[in-house]
């Protein structure tokens, strides 16, 4: 397993919030991550409608993973989401949601990505454009 894949699986998908939501990392490749948010009544607003905040968390975790999915990481690197624009396209209703996050452009520190969230039938539920910052270790 590549070092970046271990970081994505253990530190990002394994972070406390991601674990609490049950987010699972399904695929890691350079500049691409696929993560799943399992359907559970705890993720809903009314009835079987998945809460937009749960979808936003899935987007953020998946985008973070994609930005960290690079063999060029320096030990001790740090990162943070700068911002994202999220559009809801349809409701997630009573099914797992899958986020496919890809890096569109990787600069020296700024990483731009896109995330598409789909339901179990492949229907698009949300899309996002994400800006993320990866920084060198603090000691430099």
């Amino acid at each position: 397993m590549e070092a970046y894949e271990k970081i994505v699986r253990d530190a990002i998908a394994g972070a406390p919030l991601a674990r609490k939501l049950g987010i699972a990392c399904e695929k890691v490749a350079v500049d691409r991550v696929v993560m799943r948010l399992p359907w559970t009544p705890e993720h809903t607003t009314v009835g079987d409608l998945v809460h937009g905040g749960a979808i936003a968390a899935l987007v953020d975790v998946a985008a973070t993973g994609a930005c960290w999915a690079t063999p060029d990481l320096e030990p001790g690197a740090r990162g943070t989401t700068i911002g994202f624009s999220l559009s809801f396209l349809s409701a997630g209703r009573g099914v797992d949601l899958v986020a496919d996050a890809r890096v569109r452009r990787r600069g020296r520190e700024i990483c731009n990505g896109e995330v598409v969230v789909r339901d179990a039938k492949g229907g698009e539920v949300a899309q996002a454009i994400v800006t993320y910052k990866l920084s060198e270790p603090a000691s430099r």
Side-chain angles (χ1 to χ4, degrees):
M1 179 182 302
E2 296 284 344
Y4 66 85
E5 182 176 356
K6 183 166 178 46
I7 289 169
V8 171
R9 290 186 184 278
D10 295 349
I12 296 170
L17 178 64
R19 281 196 330 266
K20 183 166 187 71
L21 292 171
I23 294 172
C25 186
E26 295 192 340
K27 179 178 182 175
V28 179
V30 172
D31 291 340
R32 181 171 180 224
V33 167
V34 177
M35 294 201 184
R36 177 178 300 272
L37 174 71
W39 187 86
T40 174
E42 288 79 24
H43 295 158
T44 62
T45 55
V46 175
D48 66 351
L49 295 172
V50 179
H51 192 288
I55 295 170
L58 173 63
V59 164
D60 190 38
V61 171
T64 297
C67 291
W68 280 83
T70 176
D72 298 331
L73 283 179
E74 291 192 34
R78 299 171 295 144
T80 187
T81 302
I82 295 172
F84 63 84
S85 172
L86 175 61
S87 296
F88 295 99
L89 306 173
S90 66
R93 299 191 68 117
V95 295
D96 289 4
L97 299 178
V98 176
D100 188 345
R102 298 171 186 261
V103 171
R104 296 295 308 264
R105 183 181 181 280
R106 185 180 292 281
R108 190 170 55 85
E109 287 189 336
I110 302 299
C111 185
N112 298 104
E114 66 181 1
V115 182
V116 176
V117 178
R118 292 185 172 85
D119 63 20
K121 295 179 182 175
E124 290 186 355
V125 172
Q127 65 181 12
I129 301 296
V130 181
T131 305
Y132 194 86
K133 182 176 182 179
L134 274 171
S135 301
E136 294 180 0
S139 62
R140 291 192 174 183

